[in-house]
């Protein structure tokens, strides 16, 4: 991709409305644009990151046997009247009337729609367990939208819903999801701490929140140091459930069971929330299946959210420096930023050749071919934070090499063009 032809509207100045790093950087680096309070347009760079996160989330949901669907954003009110939540949900719900004066709403969540869907098709225990998910836009008329996409009004969420024949099977579904969440966040280069939570408005008896550690997190969290070095072998709800991890309200230094040197006190961004709530919706919405003995059973349900658009901001909060964003490779909008640092005939020819070869090898590359000064190109590339910068120019060119910089470590090496292609092909 040529930067000269790309839509990447970067800002020179810090936008005054942005209070936290991720919001500031997303605006400055041209990832998002605010349409109105809490509602954003995702610009090409932001869109690429959002879709990469979408893909990782989807792969991990598919891996545990959930099936992706897309439910409507606009829902009829009668489903919520049936479940009894229409009045309770309050002002966060955007209520709309259609031309026939029918009450509609923009979905803040989808328990009702999915329960209605499943009751139309599932009537035997043989069709369970079932887990359906979507990754789609939600609207919640938050009282205080803030911090950019961190707390938006319209936001992109993964929401999954599980249906099981009994509590044991529901618990297995819940645990599979718990493990999938740890894998999902780890793949994005994030440290996520799961903690027991009150299930809040949705109601129910088992719930965990997943927090990413970052200084600007909305809530103070306290947890066992052991969470900082988890490997996949540790992903057991039973094992991790024994470790201390609580939010502010539940932390009491007097009764905290672990020693000060084992206790970490940080701030957290909630990026995921899972609930088991039993038969709340299956009963209120009359979703019944025939059990093995022919008697009707109300399926046990759970719902499982990941804030996909919030994750973009959370990743930036946990991965940036004073020059800009540092994208983990797994979610980066492009893998390589190619910089023609001299704009002369020779550097241009080499850059063009590199751009073509990398593109042909399916290595994503953003090529800064603008006729800007090298300094401007370097600082823009640091700001947008692509993991690798390839710099054509400077002294190394006479030796037939280009310079490769790792955005995170700052480490630089000189490589011939062939060695460069091999480096990225090999990874
Ligand atoms: P919060 O306490 O932050 O309001 P919640 O409990 O309302 O979150 P859930 O209904 O569990 O959130 O939604 C699942 C996930 O969606 C949350 O863990 C969070 O990552 C994300 N999310 C919730 N509200 C917003 C929002 N207004 N903007 C962006 N992401 C959000
Ligand atoms: Mg909320």
């Amino acid at each position: 991709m040529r930067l000269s032809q790309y839509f990447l509207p970067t800002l020179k100045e810090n936008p005054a409305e942005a209070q936290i790093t991720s919001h500031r950087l997303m605006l400055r680096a041209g990832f998002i644009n605010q349409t109105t309070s809490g509602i954003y347009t995702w610009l090409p760079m932001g869109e690429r990151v959002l879709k990469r996160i979408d893909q990782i989330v989807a792969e991990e949901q598919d891996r545990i046997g959930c099936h992706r669907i897309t439910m409507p954003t606009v829902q009829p009110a009668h489903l919520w009247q049936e479940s009894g939540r229409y009045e309770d949900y309050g002002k966060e719900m955007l209520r709309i009337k259609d031309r026939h004066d029918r009450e509609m709403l923009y979905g803040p969540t989808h328990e009702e729609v999915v329960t209605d869907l499943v009751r139309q098709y599932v009537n035997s225990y043989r069709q369970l367990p079932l887990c359906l998910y979507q990754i789609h836009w939600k609207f919640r008329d938050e009282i205080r939208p803030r911090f950019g996409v961190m707390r938006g009004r319209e936001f992109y969420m993964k929401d999954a819903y599980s249906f099981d024949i009994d509590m044991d099977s529901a618990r297995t579904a819940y645990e599979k999801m718990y493990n999938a969440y740890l894998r999902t966040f780890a793949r994005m280069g994030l440290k996520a701490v799961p903690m027991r939570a009150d299930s809040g408005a949705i109601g129910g008896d088992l719930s965990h929140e997943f927090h990413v550690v970052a200084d600007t997190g909305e809530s103070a969290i306290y947890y066992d140091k052991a969470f900082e070095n988890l490997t996949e072998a540790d992903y057991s709800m039973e094992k991790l459930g024994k470790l201390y991890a609580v939010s502010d309200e539940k932390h009491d230094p007097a009764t905290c069971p672990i020693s000060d040197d084992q206790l970490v006190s940080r701030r957290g961004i909630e990026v995921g929330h899972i609930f088991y709530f039993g038969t709340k919706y299956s009963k209120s919405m009359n979703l019944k299946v025939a059990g093995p003995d022919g008697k009707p059973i109300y399926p046990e349900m759970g719902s499982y959210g990941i804030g996909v658009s919030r994750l973009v901001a959370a990743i930036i909060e946990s991965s940036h420096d004073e020059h800009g964003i540092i994208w983990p490779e797994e979610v980066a909008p492009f893998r390589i930023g190619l910089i023609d640092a001299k704009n002369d005939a020779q550097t241009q020819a080499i850059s063009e050749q590199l751009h073509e070869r990398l593109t042909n090898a399916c290595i994503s590359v953003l090529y800064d071919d603008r006729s800007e000064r090298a300094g401007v190109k370097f600082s823009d590339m640091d700001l947008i934070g692509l993991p690798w910068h390839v710099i054509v120019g400077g002294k190394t060119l006479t030796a037939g090499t280009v310079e490769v910089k790792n955005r995170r470590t700052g480490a630089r090496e000189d490589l011939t063009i062939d060695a460069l292609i091999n480096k990225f092909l090999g990874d």
Side-chain angles (χ1 to χ4, degrees):
M1 180 63 65
R2 286 166 199 281
L3 189 43
S4 64
Q5 289 159 29
Y6 202 46
F7 185 55
L8 179 58
T10 54
L11 307 176
K12 294 250 164 354
E13 305 297 326
N14 276 331
E17 73 270 26
Q19 298 168 37
I20 62 168
T21 306
S22 56
H23 189 196
R24 198 176 71 234
L25 289 174
M26 287 179 82
L27 289 170
R28 272 199 57 200
F31 281 66
I32 52 168
N33 169 271
Q34 181 176 310
T35 303
T36 186
S37 170
I39 299 181
Y40 292 85
T41 295
W42 290 76
L43 302 177
M45 274 288 198
E47 175 69 11
R48 289 179 77 99
V49 177
L50 196 61
K51 288 296 135 70
R52 291 205 72 186
I53 297 177
D54 174 311
Q55 189 173 348
I56 293 174
V57 171
E59 281 171 12
E60 295 301 329
Q61 295 292 295
D62 293 345
R63 196 187 341 198
I64 57 168
C66 295
H67 309 292
R68 187 167 182 167
I69 59 176
T70 299
M71 290 180 269
T73 51
V74 175
Q75 309 177 10
H78 70 80
L79 289 177
W80 289 67
Q81 282 151 351
E82 212 182 326
S83 74
R85 283 209 293 183
Y86 192 55
E87 301 308 326
D88 295 354
Y89 210 90
K91 291 196 165 171
E92 265 192 25
M93 184 190 276
L94 180 65
R95 294 154 207 260
I96 323 164
K97 280 213 172 120
D98 72 8
R99 65 197 299 162
H100 306 293
D101 234 19
R102 281 189 287 249
E103 288 178 63
M104 312 289 282
L105 57 101
Y106 195 112
T109 179
H110 282 69
E111 281 81 3
E112 281 79 359
V113 173
V114 79
T115 305
D116 177 54
L117 174 79
V118 170
R119 72 180 167 183
Q120 294 176 50
Y121 300 106
V122 175
N123 48 33
S124 158
Y125 76 97
R126 287 196 192 85
Q127 292 164 279
L128 301 181
L130 178 65
C131 180
L132 301 172
Y133 76 99
Q134 66 171 349
I135 308 181
H136 205 15
W137 297 95
K138 298 269 185 278
F139 191 92
R140 293 184 188 172
D141 207 350
E142 297 275 353
I143 187 158
R144 214 151 25 110
R146 57 185 180 153
F147 306 151
V149 299
M150 193 76 93
R151 183 168 295 283
R153 294 198 294 164
E154 191 175 51
F155 58 100
Y156 197 52
M157 195 211 276
K158 186 283 298 181
D159 45 325
Y161 304 89
S162 64
F163 299 83
D164 283 272
I165 203 68
D166 56 30
M167 275 171 68
D168 270 358
S169 160
R171 193 181 158 88
T172 304
Y174 186 95
E175 277 196 48
K176 276 207 275 187
M177 197 60 81
Y178 178 100
N179 294 343
Y181 274 37
L182 291 171
R183 262 199 312 271
T184 302
F185 300 131
R187 277 185 64 181
M188 296 169 195
L190 292 171
K191 286 198 168 70
V193 182
M195 49 183 69
R196 280 296 295 264
D198 294 333
S199 17
I202 292 188
D205 31 8
L206 185 56
S207 169
H208 285 85
E209 287 174 357
F210 290 75
H211 287 262
V212 165
V213 176
D215 294 341
T216 46
E218 280 190 307
S219 36
I221 56 173
Y222 298 84
Y223 59 88
D224 194 307
K225 219 185 200 158
F227 279 111
E228 305 219 312
N229 297 303
L230 297 186
T231 62
E232 206 159 327
D234 304 317
Y235 292 176
S236 140
M237 196 168 103
E238 202 191 326
K239 220 165 104 186
L240 295 180
K242 296 198 174 91
L243 296 176
Y244 190 70
V246 292
S247 59
D248 206 14
E249 323 80 76
K250 292 195 196 136
H251 177 66
D252 176 1
T255 57
C256 175
I258 58 172
S259 64
D260 277 359
D261 59 336
Q262 192 64 17
L263 180 71
V264 184
S265 149
R266 296 289 303 274
R267 298 196 71 81
I269 300 169
E270 185 198 308
V271 291
H273 200 165
I274 60 178
F275 299 90
Y276 159 73
F277 45 72
T279 56
K280 182 175 154 84
Y281 298 94
S282 52
K283 276 199 175 133
S284 60
M285 297 186 67
N286 201 29
L287 158 63
K288 269 190 296 214
V289 303
D293 56 3
K295 288 201 185 118
I297 293 174
Y298 292 108
E300 302 279 331
M301 290 174 59
S303 76
Y304 314 90
I306 290 183
V308 177
S309 49
R310 178 179 288 182
L311 268 170
V312 179
I315 291 168
I316 297 174
E317 289 298 333
S318 72
S319 185
H320 65 267
D321 63 13
E322 68 274 27
H323 304 297
I325 305 169
I326 305 173
W327 289 112
E329 291 232 13
E330 296 71 14
V331 300
F334 293 91
R335 197 163 167 213
I336 296 177
L338 171 62
I339 298 171
D340 177 355
K342 276 200 175 144
N343 305 321
D344 66 22
Q346 190 196 15
T347 56
Q348 205 181 352
I350 293 170
S351 303
E352 289 289 337
Q353 188 201 345
L354 262 174
H355 180 230
E356 195 180 319
R357 285 188 64 182
L358 288 166
T359 306
N360 288 345
C362 294
I363 299 164
S364 65
V365 52
L366 182 65
Y367 166 27
D368 192 347
D369 59 338
R370 298 172 302 170
S371 52
E372 289 282 357
R373 282 183 297 112
V376 171
K377 294 187 178 185
F378 292 148
S379 60
D380 277 352
M381 206 53 94
D382 278 347
L383 174 66
I384 65 181
L386 305 181
W388 297 95
H389 301 177
V390 173
I391 299 146
V392 182
K395 358 182 211 338
T396 60
L397 208 54
T398 41
T401 60
V402 293
E403 189 176 42
V404 182
K405 176 182 126 178
N406 180 298
R407 172 68 180 89
R408 187 176 297 280
T409 63
R412 290 167 189 266
E413 62 179 327
D414 294 329
L415 292 176
T416 63
I417 290 181
D418 284 338
L420 176 89
I421 304 280
N422 282 333
K423 175 186 172 76
F424 290 106
L425 273 182
D427 273 4

